[in-house]
Amino acid sequence: MLDKLNEIEKSALESLDAIRDQAALEAWRVANVGRSSPLMQVFAELGKLSKEERPAVGAAANRVKAKLEAALTERAEAVKAAALAKSLEEEQLDVTLPGRGIHLGRLHPSTQQLRRVLDILAEMGFQVYTSREVETDDVNFQLLNFPPDHPARDMQDTFFIEAEGRGDNPILLRTHTSPGQIHAMRDAVRAATDPDNPPPIRVALPGMCFRYEQITARSEIQFNQVEGLVVGENITFADLKGTLSDFARRMFGQNVRTRFRADYFPFTEPSAEMDVECFVCGGKGCSVCKNSGWLEILGSGMVHPIVLQNGGYDPRRYSGYAWGMGPERQLMLRYKIDDIRYFWGNDLRFLEQF
Ligand code: DAH
């Protein structure tokens, strides 16, 4: 029995010497000190030995077991150290190499400008009201005081979606955000506890508009607008001028000058366009303002009594003003962008500049 133990010890230590990796080490452990190894067999058979033999064999078996376990631990450490040395050598990292750039997404310049506009209007007490892009002819035109054959419709060529069987009221893509005025007023009337006393309104209506136009450097088939609508008692043209001049100062700088020029829109009376002093040349005249010193930035006016009525507001008691402006146009002026097609051209060289 003692000879057998010596033999077990000798061959186990020999085979351990040759081991170089983790898997072989584990196999060695199972074969030499595992539950069904010859060594454990000796322990199992101790009971069969005579009283005289048992203590010596037991002690020897314990000694061999301790020895093999110690040798295993030592070998495991050596294998680990060798593996580390090998990976340090083979998998060298060049920490001086530049890292891979992370491509950050960003907001589209129009979205950025829309947010600037809405942030300023929010500070001035305007709530955002969004309405649909697909409209009916009556809301996009008729209720805004454009009769079916009104010549002012020529200003806005239209994408019609469905005309069949709809008579004078085809479905179309909205050509401006102004139909939102009708929705905003009617919603307020519907929500009022007393429809004869609807609440005052102060909303900003942002969104995409569509026109069936030749795409050129100056015109696109889609663009954003931000409409404004204020309705209440005793609203005057002075409120319109004050609010829009304040907006211009907040958007383009405290010292910017503004002017209003008479204009025509079917849904406002009187109507006016607002110019800001050219912020590129400071009013001296340059290519951006075509040497006029002024840049037109919006159309506006006092809400036409017919439009108020169509919205459910009694024009004898209520008045209001409205405007429509274009964030893309503001960006073109500000950054001297000379071609509106860049906005939807998806050219990253353009978009990444914002
Ligand atoms: N809807 C007009 C357009 O797209 C812009 C406009 C002008 C809106 C005057 C208004 C306004 O609310 O009062 O050309």
Side-chain angles (χ1 to χ4, degrees):
M1 215 37 151
L2 288 173
D3 288 346
K4 189 175 168 195
L5 277 171
N6 279 335
E7 188 47 43
I8 287 174
E9 178 182 352
K10 195 165 150 249
S11 84
L13 290 178
E14 259 172 37
S15 61
L16 186 61
D17 254 356
I19 282 175
R20 295 277 172 274
D21 67 73
Q22 195 57 47
L25 205 58
E26 176 59 12
W28 184 92
R29 188 192 64 75
V30 172
N32 293 282
V33 291
R35 215 178 300 167
S36 34
S37 59
L39 177 61
M40 290 305 155
Q41 217 53 46
V42 172
F43 281 103
E45 283 166 14
L46 277 179
K48 291 186 199 154
L49 296 178
S50 67
K51 247 193 183 154
E52 295 72 35
E53 253 183 317
R54 207 180 297 154
V57 174
N62 273 326
R63 187 189 53 77
V64 172
K65 179 164 180 262
K67 181 125 188 230
L68 292 189
E69 279 172 353
L72 173 66
T73 310
E74 196 182 312
R75 190 76 216 148
E77 253 145 46
V79 166
K80 219 162 112 188
L84 180 63
K86 187 165 166 228
S87 82
L88 281 178
E89 176 149 333
E90 286 177 359
E91 301 161 20
Q92 267 187 27
L93 279 182
D94 182 353
V95 292
T96 66
L97 278 179
R100 282 187 203 116
I102 300 171
H103 225 69
L104 283 185
R106 67 193 75 209
L107 293 174
H108 189 278
S110 294
T111 307
Q112 294 180 24
Q113 183 67 9
L114 267 174
R115 291 192 179 182
R116 278 182 213 120
V117 170
L118 294 176
D119 280 351
I120 292 175
L121 291 173
E123 285 174 6
M124 296 170 71
F126 285 80
Q127 273 185 305
V128 171
Y129 181 98
T130 50
S131 75
R132 60 192 74 149
E133 293 175 351
V134 176
E135 274 293 359
T136 49
D137 190 283
D138 54 2
V139 189
N140 193 79
F141 291 122
Q142 295 174 51
L143 296 171
L144 291 170
N145 201 29
F146 288 82
D149 49 6
H150 195 286
R153 283 183 175 227
D154 285 353
M155 289 168 15
Q156 300 184 6
D157 296 318
T158 307
F159 283 111
F160 291 99
I161 292 179
E162 198 181 309
E164 193 103 1
R166 297 191 56 90
D168 270 353
N169 198 22
I171 297 173
L172 44 79
L173 293 179
R174 69 175 171 196
T175 57
H176 51 173
T177 44
S178 303
Q181 292 188 25
I182 300 291
H183 293 301
M185 284 188 279
R186 289 186 171 180
D187 269 3
V189 171
R190 250 195 304 274
T193 36
D194 174 6
D196 290 331
N197 287 294
I201 293 177
R202 202 197 276 145
V203 288
L205 309 111
M208 192 66 85
C209 307
F210 307 86
R211 291 192 195 168
Y212 185 35
E213 288 186 4
Q214 177 97 27
I215 299 175
T216 67
R218 296 180 58 86
S219 71
E220 249 291 3
I221 59 172
Q222 65 177 81
F223 53 89
N224 283 288
Q225 281 190 344
V226 179
E227 188 93 5
L229 174 68
V230 174
V231 179
E233 287 175 278
N234 305 316
I235 303 288
T236 68
F237 198 82
D239 295 311
L240 179 160
K241 285 183 79 171
T243 304
L244 291 177
S245 305
D246 189 28
F247 173 84
R249 282 192 292 271
R250 291 175 191 238
M251 176 58 80
F252 301 109
Q254 279 307 311
N255 298 322
V256 79
R257 293 198 301 154
T258 50
R259 72 175 186 189
F260 288 83
R261 283 178 293 105
D263 199 358
Y264 171 76
F265 299 99
F267 36 90
T268 45
E269 181 58 36
S271 305
E273 283 193 318
M274 185 173 89
D275 295 343
V276 294
E277 191 179 40
C278 179
F279 38 68
V280 176
C281 63
K284 286 198 268 304
C286 68
S287 61
V288 175
C289 62
K290 303 201 187 68
N291 283 319
S292 69
W294 295 94
L295 301 168
E296 178 225 314
I297 63 155
L298 56 84
S300 64
M302 299 306 291
V303 182
H304 197 289
I306 291 179
V307 176
L308 283 172
Q309 189 140 38
N310 289 338
Y313 279 76
D314 182 352
R316 285 166 306 184
R317 191 175 141 202
Y318 293 93
S319 55
Y321 65 87
W323 78 82
M325 60 183 150
E328 283 88 23
R329 179 167 165 76
Q330 290 169 4
L331 285 172
M332 291 176 79
L333 295 173
R334 163 142 263 160
Y335 296 110
K336 301 189 208 173
I337 299 164
D338 57 4
D339 194 324
I340 196 173
R341 289 171 291 193
Y342 284 125
F343 284 98
W344 320 119
N346 277 341
D347 186 336
L348 286 181
R349 290 170 303 177
F350 172 74
L351 297 174
E352 283 180 342
Q353 294 180 53
F354 297 91

